[in-house]
Amino acid sequence: MNRPGKIVCVGRNYVEHAAELGNVVPVRPLLFLKPPSAVIGDGEPIVLPPDSRRVEHEGEIGVVIGARLRSCSEADALSAVAGITCVNDVTARDLQKTDGQWTRAKGFDTFCPVGPRVVPLGELASLDELELICRVNGAERQRGRAADMVFGIPQLLAYISAVMTLEPGDLVATGTPAGVGPLAAGDVVEVEIPGVGILANPVVTAPA
Ligand code: ZN
């Protein structure tokens, strides 16, 4: 997996997930960044940092940018997409709450599994039919459909590109559906998008 220049993430983009964390649905996309240094590939371990007591999975549909986008319209956005991939926006939920902003909670090394491949839109059914499933040790924890996003992918790309130029290789993580939950050492977490593949990562404790 090539490391993206930047990773733009969207918070609270599914109604039921916003509700499960006691948040209201935003009136415009809620954006944050994850550092490219957090990226790992399929099969690589997610390392639980000693600073957190609650690390959670967030399975997400990832959009990989293929051509530069700056202040694009929703109609033009999809032509600049290289393809779709699976993302796990791993989050230290306790630190997200206590820090007041999300840089540390979302930014630990290994907290952004991406893969296993990038599939062009032309090889997939319509965007709205994209489905995302997240499993821990084979048990389903999350299931969501792109059609259920508060802000759809073209809308997100138009909104983000009005703020910052999206460059080839950049990754947009489109938000997680309901069902987030904790990860423990020894778990294997899978994010699947049918038609794209399965991103599987073991969870380990940081070496002493
Ligand atoms: Zn997320």
Side-chain angles (χ1 to χ4, degrees):
M1 198 75 206
N2 290 330
R3 195 167 266 185
K6 61 181 169 292
I7 305 161
V8 186
C9 301
V10 184
R12 301 169 195 165
N13 201 29
Y14 290 83
V15 173
E16 288 175 26
H17 169 65
E20 75 178 342
L21 295 182
N23 296 309
V24 296
V25 173
V27 296
R28 59 185 68 82
L30 173 61
L31 303 182
F32 62 95
L33 296 169
K34 267 175 108 79
S37 47
V39 170
I40 56 173
D42 181 40
E44 295 189 85
I46 296 166
V47 180
L48 300 174
D51 303 1
S52 171
R53 291 177 174 272
R54 190 171 176 101
V55 173
E56 297 192 345
H57 55 84
E58 291 191 1
E60 307 200 5
I61 294 170
V63 179
V64 178
I65 303 301
R68 177 174 287 185
L69 270 180
R70 180 183 292 140
S71 295
C72 70
S73 66
E74 290 181 31
D76 291 340
L78 294 185
S79 60
V81 170
I84 299 294
T85 193
C86 307
V87 178
N88 193 343
D89 173 21
V90 180
T91 303
R93 196 69 68 201
D94 50 350
L95 304 184
Q96 185 184 26
K97 288 173 181 152
T98 56
D99 281 4
Q101 49 80 29
W102 303 356
T103 302
R104 191 164 67 125
K106 300 278 192 178
F108 285 97
D109 288 355
T110 76
F111 270 28
C112 194
V114 179
R117 61 202 186 102
V118 179
V119 176
L121 294 179
E123 295 177 23
L124 296 164
S126 78
L127 274 188
D128 276 355
E129 286 173 52
L130 283 177
E131 192 168 31
L132 169 95
I133 303 115
C134 181
R135 296 182 207 88
V136 177
N137 304 326
E140 185 174 309
R141 295 270 192 90
Q142 298 183 272
R143 181 178 286 262
R145 281 159 34 90
D148 295 328
M149 290 178 184
V150 178
F151 305 102
I153 291 170
Q155 211 175 346
L156 290 175
L157 297 181
Y159 185 82
I160 295 165
S161 76
V163 178
M164 61 189 88
T165 301
L166 289 168
E167 304 280 2
D170 285 354
L171 174 65
V172 175
T174 58
T176 201
V180 297
L183 295 171
D187 286 346
V188 174
V189 57
E190 293 175 320
V191 178
E192 177 176 11
I193 300 173
V196 173
I198 299 176
L199 168 68
N201 298 90
V203 180
V204 303
T205 313

